[in-house]
Amino acid sequence: EPVPLPKRKEGTLRVLWVGRMLDWKRVDTLIRAVGRLVHDGRAVRLTLVGHGPQEARLRALAGKVNAETRRRRGEGDGQDSPLCPKITFLPPVPISEVRGLMRQADVYVLPSSGTEGWGVVVNEAMLEGCAVVASRESGAGATLIRDGRNGVLVPSGDVGALTRVLERLDSDETFRYGLATTGQADMLAEWIPSVAAERIVGFCESLLSGREPPQWVSGPLSVV
């Protein structure tokens, strides 16, 4: 069922990432991009959900971003300053809570390298009404995202490109809302369990009866 699209709170861009904190997930790219945005005076909140071997490194990087921003802004150690990047780490949570976090977020970012064979969080975030930014190299990004229409694609590891996209999503509410609306509609039209089940049954029935299987140009079982 379609869910209401999230509305920004107090002008702050809420960015979300969920997953295993592995090197090829390139979460460091996202932290650095958010650090640049807040250093430029933009109000951004980044929530990172999960554990993994890179967690200590990512926490240290987030701490440096916070400390550097406070120092450059002359804000001392005020953790609650609106100009300090609010980078929050949460432990893994049940999928129902993940979907709840997605409903509260404005933007979901998947910055992974090509080792990310798919990335089902992209499907989930689009369905929950997030504007999605995904790497061109990821399976879900390359397959699901029509760049500039239902999401935005960036090269994995390119901090500058990711920063520029987040800047636009922060400044252009109409663009962000359009991505979220179209992305959610695309997911509801094809990328849902009922459609996948119907196509699998149709495909199997065709094979069992000796008929040529149907072909789809988009959605589950599509030919890319």
Side-chain angles (χ1 to χ4, degrees), residues 20-222:
R20 283 274 292 161
M21 294 180 177
L22 305 170
D23 181 62
W24 52 267
K25 294 283 188 177
R26 301 311 306 269
V27 188
D28 59 318
T29 306
L30 177 55
I31 292 175
R32 295 179 194 278
V34 168
R36 291 186 183 185
L37 291 180
V38 184
H39 176 66
D40 290 339
R42 295 180 182 268
V44 182
R45 292 184 66 90
L46 170 61
T47 301
L48 304 173
V49 183
H51 286 321
Q54 290 292 309
E55 182 176 356
R57 172 174 171 263
L58 296 174
R59 284 182 177 273
L61 179 60
K64 290 179 181 179
V65 170
N66 287 336
E68 180 182 358
T69 302
R70 290 195 301 271
R71 183 170 60 252
R72 291 186 177 183
R73 294 289 179 179
E75 296 166 355
D77 294 324
Q79 293 288 339
D80 295 327
S81 166
L83 294 178
C84 176
K86 304 289 196 305
I87 302 178
T88 303
F89 287 78
L90 297 178
V93 297
I95 184 60
S96 59
E97 293 185 32
V98 170
R99 301 294 279 266
L101 290 169
M102 288 175 172
R103 293 183 185 187
Q104 297 170 19
D106 300 301
V107 180
Y108 188 92
V109 179
L110 182 78
S112 304
S113 72
T115 305
E116 186 77 74
W118 186 257
V120 72
V121 286
V122 171
N123 300 64
E124 295 166 344
M126 292 173 74
L127 186 61
E128 297 298 342
C130 288
V132 171
V133 181
S135 64
R136 297 181 183 277
E137 293 81 358
S138 65
T143 304
L144 298 177
I145 300 298
R146 289 172 287 165
D147 194 19
R149 186 175 185 277
N150 65 356
V152 181
L153 295 173
V154 295
S156 178
D158 192 331
V159 178
L162 181 55
T163 302
R164 290 189 293 273
V165 169
L166 292 176
E167 284 175 343
R168 183 176 180 187
L169 293 173
D170 180 44
S171 301
D172 192 340
E173 184 73 2
T174 300
F175 178 61
R176 185 197 69 78
Y177 193 81
L179 295 179
T181 302
T182 305
Q184 187 183 73
D186 286 351
M187 290 299 101
L188 289 169
E190 290 186 316
W191 292 95
I192 54 177
S194 60
V195 172
E198 180 180 334
R199 291 185 179 186
I200 290 173
V201 170
F203 184 85
C204 293
E205 287 179 341
S206 297
L207 291 180
L208 291 172
S209 63
R211 301 193 311 269
E212 184 72 19
Q215 293 188 356
W216 295 275
V217 296
S218 62
L221 273 70
S222 57

Side-chain angles (χ1 to χ4, degrees), residues 6-25:
K7 300 293 184 181
R8 293 181 62 175
K9 295 181 179 180
E10 301 175 356
T12 299
L13 187 71
R14 298 164 297 175
V15 182
L16 178 66
W17 178 90
V18 181
R20 283 274 292 161
M21 294 180 177
L22 305 170
D23 181 62
W24 52 267
K25 294 283 188 177

